[in-house]
Amino acid sequence: MKRVAPVAVVLAIVLAAGLLWKCRGGEPESTPTTAGKVATVGSAGHTATHDPRTGKRASIGGTITDDTKRPAAKVRVCAEFWSELLPASSQKDPVCATTDDHGAYRLDNLLAATYRVIAGGKPYRPQQFHPDGDRHRSSFPLLAGEAKSGVDLVMERGGVEVTGVVADISGGPVAHAAVTGSSSRWGTSNAAPPVDTDDAGKFTLWVAEGPVSLSAIADGYAEGTARGRAPGTFEILLTPESILSGTVVDARTQAPVPGATVTVTAGEFSYGTERTDLTDAEGKFRVDGLTPGRYVATARTSAGYGRTEGSTLVGLGQHVDGVVVKLFPAQHLEGRVMIAGAPATVCLEGRLELQDQAHDRYLGGTTDAAGNIHLDGVLPGTYQVDVSCPRFLAREKYDPIVVADKDLTDLTWEVGAGATVRGKVTTKSGEPIAEAPVWAQSTGGAARAKSGWASDKSTRDGSYELDGVRAGAYKLQVSSERGIAPVDGFRITVAEGAKLDKDLVLDDGGKIAGTVVDETGKPVPDVQIRPRALASATFGFNMGDIKSDAAGNFTIEGMRPGDYRVVASLGWMDELRKPGSNDDAKQGESATVKPNATTTVHLVVESRAEAIIGVVVDGDGKPVPDAFLSAARESDAAGARRSDVASTRGWGWGDTDRPVLTATDGTFTVGKLSKGNYTLRAYRKGGGEAVVEHVATGSRTRLEIKKTGSIEGRIRAATSGAPPEIRLAMTDPKSGFSRDESFYMTDGTFAIRDLPAGHFRITASGGDGQKTLEVELANGETKTGVEIVLDVLVELTGRVVERGTTNPVVGMRMMASLAQSGGGMFTFGGMSDDENENISDEAGHFKIKRVPVGMVQITGFPKDFRDSDYAFFRGLKTLERAGNATTIDVGDLSVIKKRVKQGDKIGELGIHFAAQPPDTAPDKRELKISWIDPTGPAAKLDVKLGDVIKSVDGSDVTGANATDAYTLMNAPPGTSLALGLVRGVTVTVVLAAP
């Protein structure tokens, strides 16, 4: 159970997440479309809406045939719909029908909205309707009273069966839940129409073979999900729903505001929880289907914007009412995305994205049925503009939009034809590969040029087509279980407006098949199987799709030939150990994959038959019947942290294990544990948490949830009053607790509630200032009168050069933030710039805007990370503002060249380093040897446990430079490394084969 990710792993996750966002089309905060709205008089400028529920009903009809052109009878057809003019509660259930013996269907009593029609059933793969035969389009508007016909689909055989059960998290089946499924890899497969569970909570669904993501909804519950592979059997756990309701009022008159769109989003790390409602005549809103957590409610009208002051805690099955959202004046923006030509035409699927970097605002919207884009509740600021239109090329840059005190209408943004890249994806033997994601990423080019991206999915005959491609050099990537793309991708150069044909022929892959059992020979089901390549930069995309079945068996298709270590794990880093081993030991088994061959692996892991029992009580000693329990095994590796509270926070409600709830008497049992010591955390709907450490399996424990506290105060700028918007990010490095809160138009006042005791670092920001301070909070303490005066932010300039030279390094994306203990990969500042000035130019120069003064951590990533000769780097600089200076130059920053290229094997050092305490200051980090592999290359050298490495090949790797050590030690087998030790000795280690 190794819980600390190496830098390379975290980088891979970050980059993969960014690539996923680009390929899928990242979703900024959407503002409601106001088509059909008529402005009314009111201090908040709210709007009256035409409710589609009062209009004439519409219908959709068509015919479903199979791939032999015969009618497909008894196929389930469903229409999903959405509209900003409808509350979320009226959109969650699709309208469905079953085809008759002639394959015909009709869906009646439909509201005016945007629709997507999907179909599925035995023995077919799910399909969706593409308007006008354009496979890049999947939705269409339906007008009031319209009888739309010709919505026909052709079903393809080859579907596989998925079965399972939907259950309550506390046990027991959930009957009549709606279950649907779609591909979980790059969104490449059509969604299956929902099916209902029976009285025992069981379901059967037909989907495309391969990775699948299942979701289930039911009355009284929040949505639940499960991931794996089809065919297969699944359990989907549902959490009793929580509800948030309240009122939107005019900030000046306190009058209720009807017709406002209220969006409720998670106020802490979450998988995109977002639900909406429209306020009624009394300004009331109600959002259900929430999981326990903290939430922020944002309200918008054409002339108003507001949000809750901070976040609101909503507990398990709890209905929190009385939330008030104050609406302040804001503006309305509308325009069109136009396709250049003679004459120009309107893009009917355009998207507008706006970003105000100075205020950290990000919002967007899509076209309505007439091709107009409407954004409500836009606050004053200067917004960078990005637009898109499927199959067309946006300009590299658009003029910024300056919003002041007036609405902006009749705006236009033009897109052009761009280039086209097309071809077929085939196996080496020439067979077409369907459903293969193909994506293109620009490489090289001018340092600060806009990156080019395009993606598609191959059709049944293997065809793909990338339209609207910007001229330049590209790398094409393909993901499929039927073949392997080159490690370096397919390289192409696209001329402006060209039509380039490029067939993508994939090499033959191999297969890994095996079993997972415990030391007694009992199968270990439902654990993730992760094949880890021993070569550099062969990052894969199964990402937990592969799990062992009920018999402990697993199969991994489409593996790249090469050497792997196959491990079983419970999550991203929770490796299951071999019986009798510890966390310093190498887990899993080695496997060599060959083309068109199956490699067999047998994994034996320690059993998970242990348990911890106990009780959770409150501060008065009374049992807590609604607490959740989270457990994390404490590593027994030499040099491991002895406190592991942060790991109990996990990934939230996306965790695969069933949550543990206390019973009515506060008792609990945490089961399915391997033998060892654990940290337990209990948390409840009323706020607060309790932690106990070093609890051995088989023992009994008691957790006491203390009363929560709060921190209240006021923020102001150094030379003026309070900024209209303020944000506070707080962390407790020791416990891993974190919270972000935002406040709008509160005259700088803030209140952060429901806090456990701890030593908190609070970073406050607003306008052009930022300030970090530390606050100690006792159990149940209400700390008031915290005054924060913001420091002025500055611009940071410098130059990136190659280590040991003055040669400039081009294309490094630079970021900066305060250097803090416990700082993570996701706390960067200066990540966005409309001119891309934070990317080093041809002379290596860069500029980072809005940087705080003090000790700053400066980080650089290559713009083309996988193709770059250089690694990422991190350094510390102390910034002192002289007088009224607004720019500080830090001079040259050096970066090291990578020592491995894509596909190279990485040698083993045979040394582990002690984990740093979470509150270690960045300039105090060190590489202290905690374990030496007795069979490794360092075993016979003059290195000892407790030695601290101060240099690698002459480069300092202490303090802020500790990250450089991993770049220098990431080298091929046979590489000699000179390790300088603090005690004055230098030893030379030759890296061994992995």
Side-chain angles (χ1 to χ4, degrees), residues 87-89 92 241-246 261-265 273-279 284-291 295-298 314 318-321:
S89 59
K92 63 182 181 181
E241 71 175 352
S242 302
I243 301 170
L244 183 69
S245 60
T261 298
V262 179
T263 303
V264 171
T265 55
T273 300
E274 180 176 295
R275 297 181 68 83
T276 62
D277 194 17
L278 295 175
T279 55
K284 301 287 188 181
F285 68 89
R286 183 180 189 274
V287 174
D288 56 17
L290 302 175
T291 56
Y295 289 91
V296 174
T298 302
V314 185
Q318 187 179 24
H319 180 181
V320 176
D321 193 12

Tab-separated table of all heavy atoms in Angstrom, residues 87-89 92 241-246 261-265 273-279 284-291 295-298 314 318-321:
chain	number	residue	atom	x	y	z
A	87	PRO	N	-36.088	23.287	-14.865
A	87	PRO	CA	-35.346	22.852	-13.675
A	87	PRO	C	-34.772	21.467	-13.889
A	87	PRO	O	-35.301	20.665	-14.666
A	87	PRO	CB	-36.416	22.856	-12.577
A	87	PRO	CG	-37.712	22.713	-13.297
A	87	PRO	CD	-37.539	23.409	-14.618
A	88	ALA	N	-33.703	21.177	-13.185
A	88	ALA	CA	-33.028	19.888	-13.360
A	88	ALA	C	-33.958	18.729	-13.034
A	88	ALA	O	-33.872	17.657	-13.640
A	88	ALA	CB	-31.781	19.835	-12.479
A	89	SER	N	-34.863	18.929	-12.078
A	89	SER	CA	-35.746	17.845	-11.667
A	89	SER	C	-36.641	17.352	-12.791
A	89	SER	O	-37.067	16.197	-12.795
A	89	SER	CB	-36.616	18.295	-10.485
A	89	SER	OG	-37.389	19.430	-10.839
A	92	LYS	N	-34.220	14.893	-15.596
A	92	LYS	CA	-33.383	13.754	-15.265
A	92	LYS	C	-33.893	12.440	-15.834
A	92	LYS	O	-33.131	11.484	-15.972
A	92	LYS	CB	-33.212	13.640	-13.752
A	92	LYS	CG	-34.490	13.382	-12.981
A	92	LYS	CD	-34.195	13.327	-11.486
A	92	LYS	CE	-35.449	13.034	-10.678
A	92	LYS	NZ	-35.166	12.994	-9.228
A	241	GLU	N	-30.031	10.605	-0.933
A	241	GLU	CA	-29.792	11.955	-1.426
A	241	GLU	C	-29.834	12.995	-0.318
A	241	GLU	O	-30.546	12.866	0.673
A	241	GLU	CB	-30.829	12.322	-2.489
A	241	GLU	CG	-32.226	12.544	-1.950
A	241	GLU	CD	-33.195	13.031	-3.016
A	241	GLU	OE1	-32.750	13.337	-4.134
A	241	GLU	OE2	-34.396	13.101	-2.719
A	242	SER	N	-29.051	14.023	-0.525
A	242	SER	CA	-29.108	15.226	0.290
A	242	SER	C	-29.714	16.335	-0.557
A	242	SER	O	-29.676	16.281	-1.795
A	242	SER	CB	-27.708	15.614	0.767
A	242	SER	OG	-27.121	14.555	1.502
A	243	ILE	N	-30.284	17.344	0.097
A	243	ILE	CA	-31.025	18.390	-0.606
A	243	ILE	C	-30.582	19.752	-0.083
A	243	ILE	O	-30.382	19.934	1.123
A	243	ILE	CB	-32.549	18.228	-0.411
A	243	ILE	CG1	-33.011	16.866	-0.930
A	243	ILE	CG2	-33.322	19.345	-1.100
A	243	ILE	CD1	-34.436	16.522	-0.570
A	244	LEU	N	-30.439	20.693	-0.997
A	244	LEU	CA	-30.132	22.079	-0.640
A	244	LEU	C	-31.212	22.968	-1.248
A	244	LEU	O	-31.492	22.881	-2.447
A	244	LEU	CB	-28.753	22.475	-1.170
A	244	LEU	CG	-28.259	23.880	-0.807
A	244	LEU	CD1	-27.954	23.954	0.684
A	244	LEU	CD2	-27.014	24.246	-1.613
A	245	SER	N	-31.809	23.802	-0.431
A	245	SER	CA	-32.857	24.698	-0.942
A	245	SER	C	-32.721	26.057	-0.293
A	245	SER	O	-32.077	26.222	0.744
A	245	SER	CB	-34.249	24.108	-0.679
A	245	SER	OG	-34.476	23.926	0.703
A	246	GLY	N	-33.347	27.041	-0.913
A	246	GLY	CA	-33.256	28.397	-0.391
A	246	GLY	C	-33.968	29.386	-1.265
A	246	GLY	O	-34.862	29.036	-2.045
A	261	THR	N	-31.667	31.350	-12.640
A	261	THR	CA	-31.063	30.024	-12.754
A	261	THR	C	-30.073	29.836	-11.617
A	261	THR	O	-29.136	30.614	-11.461
A	261	THR	CB	-30.341	29.864	-14.097
A	261	THR	OG1	-31.285	30.002	-15.156
A	261	THR	CG2	-29.684	28.498	-14.186
A	262	VAL	N	-30.309	28.817	-10.810
A	262	VAL	CA	-29.443	28.526	-9.664
A	262	VAL	C	-28.652	27.258	-9.967
A	262	VAL	O	-29.231	26.220	-10.289
A	262	VAL	CB	-30.261	28.346	-8.377
A	262	VAL	CG1	-29.337	28.021	-7.207
A	262	VAL	CG2	-31.064	29.604	-8.079
A	263	THR	N	-27.362	27.359	-9.884
A	263	THR	CA	-26.468	26.218	-10.102
A	263	THR	C	-25.781	25.879	-8.795
A	263	THR	O	-25.149	26.740	-8.168
A	263	THR	CB	-25.419	26.549	-11.173
A	263	THR	OG1	-26.070	26.932	-12.380
A	263	THR	CG2	-24.538	25.337	-11.449
A	264	VAL	N	-25.923	24.638	-8.382
A	264	VAL	CA	-25.296	24.179	-7.145
A	264	VAL	C	-24.113	23.297	-7.515
A	264	VAL	O	-24.264	22.301	-8.228
A	264	VAL	CB	-26.303	23.409	-6.279
A	264	VAL	CG1	-25.594	22.755	-5.098
A	264	VAL	CG2	-27.395	24.348	-5.784
A	265	THR	N	-22.941	23.677	-7.059
A	265	THR	CA	-21.717	22.935	-7.357
A	265	THR	C	-21.012	22.554	-6.060
A	265	THR	O	-21.193	23.199	-5.023
A	265	THR	CB	-20.760	23.768	-8.219
A	265	THR	OG1	-20.507	25.021	-7.564
A	265	THR	CG2	-21.340	24.041	-9.590
A	273	THR	N	-19.677	17.527	-9.609
A	273	THR	CA	-21.066	17.592	-9.184
A	273	THR	C	-21.634	18.964	-9.507
A	273	THR	O	-21.122	19.980	-9.061
A	273	THR	CB	-21.178	17.318	-7.678
A	273	THR	OG1	-20.659	16.027	-7.412
A	273	THR	CG2	-22.622	17.383	-7.221
A	274	GLU	N	-22.727	19.003	-10.288
A	274	GLU	CA	-23.362	20.267	-10.641
A	274	GLU	C	-24.813	19.993	-10.978
A	274	GLU	O	-25.121	19.153	-11.816
A	274	GLU	CB	-22.650	20.928	-11.826
A	274	GLU	CG	-23.280	22.247	-12.241
A	274	GLU	CD	-22.516	22.946	-13.351
A	274	GLU	OE1	-21.369	23.339	-13.123
A	274	GLU	OE2	-23.067	23.065	-14.458
A	275	ARG	N	-25.714	20.688	-10.311
A	275	ARG	CA	-27.139	20.546	-10.567
A	275	ARG	C	-27.768	21.922	-10.560
A	275	ARG	O	-27.278	22.840	-9.890
A	275	ARG	CB	-27.804	19.638	-9.532
A	275	ARG	CG	-27.266	18.203	-9.579
A	275	ARG	CD	-27.966	17.319	-8.569
A	275	ARG	NE	-29.359	17.079	-8.902
A	275	ARG	CZ	-29.764	16.135	-9.755
A	275	ARG	NH1	-28.881	15.357	-10.360
A	275	ARG	NH2	-31.041	15.956	-10.006
A	276	THR	N	-28.866	22.078	-11.308
A	276	THR	CA	-29.479	23.395	-11.459
A	276	THR	C	-30.967	23.354	-11.139
A	276	THR	O	-31.595	22.297	-11.127
A	276	THR	CB	-29.301	23.927	-12.887
A	276	THR	OG1	-29.971	23.047	-13.803
A	276	THR	CG2	-27.838	24.031	-13.266
A	277	ASP	N	-31.510	24.541	-10.913
A	277	ASP	CA	-32.942	24.721	-10.743
A	277	ASP	C	-33.281	26.155	-11.136
A	277	ASP	O	-32.387	27.018	-11.215
A	277	ASP	CB	-33.354	24.440	-9.292
A	277	ASP	CG	-34.862	24.286	-9.138
A	277	ASP	OD1	-35.534	24.067	-10.163
A	277	ASP	OD2	-35.364	24.390	-8.004
A	278	LEU	N	-34.558	26.408	-11.377
A	278	LEU	CA	-35.061	27.748	-11.639
A	278	LEU	C	-35.899	28.192	-10.456
A	278	LEU	O	-36.726	27.425	-9.942
A	278	LEU	CB	-35.916	27.780	-12.909
A	278	LEU	CG	-35.206	27.467	-14.226
A	278	LEU	CD1	-36.217	27.427	-15.359
A	278	LEU	CD2	-34.136	28.503	-14.513
A	279	THR	N	-35.693	29.425	-10.024
A	279	THR	CA	-36.483	29.908	-8.899
A	279	THR	C	-37.932	30.104	-9.320
A	279	THR	O	-38.237	30.483	-10.451
A	279	THR	CB	-35.927	31.227	-8.351
A	279	THR	OG1	-35.838	32.189	-9.409
A	279	THR	CG2	-34.546	31.014	-7.756
A	284	LYS	N	-37.860	30.836	-4.769
A	284	LYS	CA	-37.390	29.623	-4.124
A	284	LYS	C	-36.718	28.674	-5.125
A	284	LYS	O	-37.133	28.591	-6.290
A	284	LYS	CB	-38.551	28.880	-3.457
A	284	LYS	CG	-39.299	29.690	-2.401
A	284	LYS	CD	-38.474	29.852	-1.140
A	284	LYS	CE	-39.294	30.498	-0.032
A	284	LYS	NZ	-38.483	30.679	1.204
A	285	PHE	N	-35.720	27.945	-4.646
A	285	PHE	CA	-35.098	26.885	-5.442
A	285	PHE	C	-34.898	25.670	-4.556
A	285	PHE	O	-34.844	25.768	-3.325
A	285	PHE	CB	-33.765	27.341	-6.046
A	285	PHE	CG	-32.673	27.573	-5.035
A	285	PHE	CD1	-31.814	26.547	-4.641
A	285	PHE	CD2	-32.488	28.830	-4.473
A	285	PHE	CE1	-30.808	26.750	-3.711
A	285	PHE	CE2	-31.484	29.055	-3.529
A	285	PHE	CZ	-30.642	28.015	-3.148
A	286	ARG	N	-34.780	24.516	-5.217
A	286	ARG	CA	-34.575	23.258	-4.495
A	286	ARG	C	-33.762	22.323	-5.385
A	286	ARG	O	-34.175	22.005	-6.493
A	286	ARG	CB	-35.916	22.605	-4.150
A	286	ARG	CG	-35.807	21.315	-3.330
A	286	ARG	CD	-37.214	20.774	-3.069
A	286	ARG	NE	-37.231	19.659	-2.132
A	286	ARG	CZ	-37.054	18.379	-2.473
A	286	ARG	NH1	-36.852	18.058	-3.751
A	286	ARG	NH2	-37.100	17.441	-1.558
A	287	VAL	N	-32.607	21.899	-4.915
A	287	VAL	CA	-31.736	21.009	-5.673
A	287	VAL	C	-31.553	19.725	-4.873
A	287	VAL	O	-31.078	19.749	-3.735
A	287	VAL	CB	-30.374	21.668	-5.958
A	287	VAL	CG1	-29.425	20.680	-6.607
A	287	VAL	CG2	-30.550	22.891	-6.847
A	288	ASP	N	-31.956	18.608	-5.486
A	288	ASP	CA	-31.848	17.327	-4.797
A	288	ASP	C	-30.794	16.455	-5.475
A	288	ASP	O	-30.061	16.903	-6.354
A	288	ASP	CB	-33.204	16.627	-4.751
A	288	ASP	CG	-33.798	16.442	-6.140
A	288	ASP	OD1	-33.046	16.558	-7.141
A	288	ASP	OD2	-35.017	16.178	-6.239
A	289	GLY	N	-30.728	15.195	-5.065
A	289	GLY	CA	-29.788	14.257	-5.675
A	289	GLY	C	-28.341	14.526	-5.358
A	289	GLY	O	-27.448	14.115	-6.101
A	290	LEU	N	-28.057	15.194	-4.228
A	290	LEU	CA	-26.680	15.514	-3.859
A	290	LEU	C	-26.107	14.448	-2.930
A	290	LEU	O	-26.819	13.853	-2.129
A	290	LEU	CB	-26.631	16.872	-3.155
A	290	LEU	CG	-27.180	18.072	-3.925
A	290	LEU	CD1	-27.157	19.319	-3.036
A	290	LEU	CD2	-26.390	18.319	-5.198
A	291	THR	N	-24.812	14.217	-3.041
A	291	THR	CA	-24.108	13.400	-2.061
A	291	THR	C	-23.665	14.301	-0.911
A	291	THR	O	-23.614	15.528	-1.056
A	291	THR	CB	-22.880	12.724	-2.682
A	291	THR	OG1	-22.033	13.725	-3.252
A	291	THR	CG2	-23.281	11.730	-3.759
A	295	TYR	N	-21.397	22.664	-0.502
A	295	TYR	CA	-21.913	23.129	-1.783
A	295	TYR	C	-22.020	24.651	-1.823
A	295	TYR	O	-22.223	25.317	-0.799
A	295	TYR	CB	-23.291	22.511	-2.064
A	295	TYR	CG	-23.203	21.036	-2.365
A	295	TYR	CD1	-23.306	20.096	-1.339
A	295	TYR	CD2	-22.978	20.579	-3.658
A	295	TYR	CE1	-23.197	18.737	-1.603
A	295	TYR	CE2	-22.864	19.231	-3.924
A	295	TYR	CZ	-22.974	18.318	-2.901
A	295	TYR	OH	-22.857	16.975	-3.161
A	296	VAL	N	-21.881	25.162	-3.051
A	296	VAL	CA	-22.020	26.590	-3.319
A	296	VAL	C	-23.163	26.765	-4.307
A	296	VAL	O	-23.231	26.054	-5.315
A	296	VAL	CB	-20.722	27.179	-3.915
A	296	VAL	CG1	-20.927	28.630	-4.314
A	296	VAL	CG2	-19.569	27.057	-2.925
A	297	ALA	N	-24.064	27.685	-4.022
A	297	ALA	CA	-25.176	27.991	-4.926
A	297	ALA	C	-24.909	29.316	-5.616
A	297	ALA	O	-24.646	30.331	-4.954
A	297	ALA	CB	-26.491	28.045	-4.161
A	298	THR	N	-24.945	29.318	-6.940
A	298	THR	CA	-24.733	30.514	-7.746
A	298	THR	C	-26.010	30.818	-8.514
A	298	THR	O	-26.621	29.922	-9.098
A	298	THR	CB	-23.582	30.311	-8.741
A	298	THR	OG1	-22.394	29.973	-8.026
A	298	THR	CG2	-23.332	31.568	-9.550
A	314	VAL	N	-23.810	20.011	3.688
A	314	VAL	CA	-25.021	19.209	3.556
A	314	VAL	C	-24.645	17.773	3.894
A	314	VAL	O	-23.787	17.176	3.247
A	314	VAL	CB	-25.609	19.296	2.137
A	314	VAL	CG1	-26.933	18.547	2.059
A	314	VAL	CG2	-25.808	20.750	1.725
A	318	GLN	N	-29.558	14.673	4.411
A	318	GLN	CA	-30.000	15.896	5.083
A	318	GLN	C	-30.599	16.879	4.086
A	318	GLN	O	-30.123	17.021	2.957
A	318	GLN	CB	-28.815	16.543	5.800
A	318	GLN	CG	-29.162	17.735	6.672
A	318	GLN	CD	-27.933	18.306	7.371
A	318	GLN	OE1	-26.810	18.131	6.900
A	318	GLN	NE2	-28.138	18.973	8.485
A	319	HIS	N	-31.669	17.569	4.495
A	319	HIS	CA	-32.250	18.652	3.706
A	319	HIS	C	-31.919	19.956	4.405
A	319	HIS	O	-32.440	20.254	5.479
A	319	HIS	CB	-33.766	18.484	3.580
A	319	HIS	CG	-34.418	19.571	2.775
A	319	HIS	ND1	-35.770	19.631	2.560
A	319	HIS	CD2	-33.901	20.639	2.122
A	319	HIS	CE1	-36.059	20.682	1.812
A	319	HIS	NE2	-34.931	21.312	1.535
A	320	VAL	N	-31.010	20.718	3.797
A	320	VAL	CA	-30.628	22.017	4.342
A	320	VAL	C	-31.429	23.089	3.619
A	320	VAL	O	-31.320	23.252	2.401
A	320	VAL	CB	-29.119	22.271	4.182
A	320	VAL	CG1	-28.752	23.668	4.658
A	320	VAL	CG2	-28.320	21.226	4.946
A	321	ASP	N	-32.241	23.818	4.372
A	321	ASP	CA	-33.091	24.857	3.799
A	321	ASP	C	-32.651	26.218	4.328
A	321	ASP	O	-31.834	26.310	5.254
A	321	ASP	CB	-34.550	24.579	4.175
A	321	ASP	CG	-35.530	25.417	3.355
A	321	ASP	OD1	-35.093	26.022	2.360
A	321	ASP	OD2	-36.715	25.465	3.730
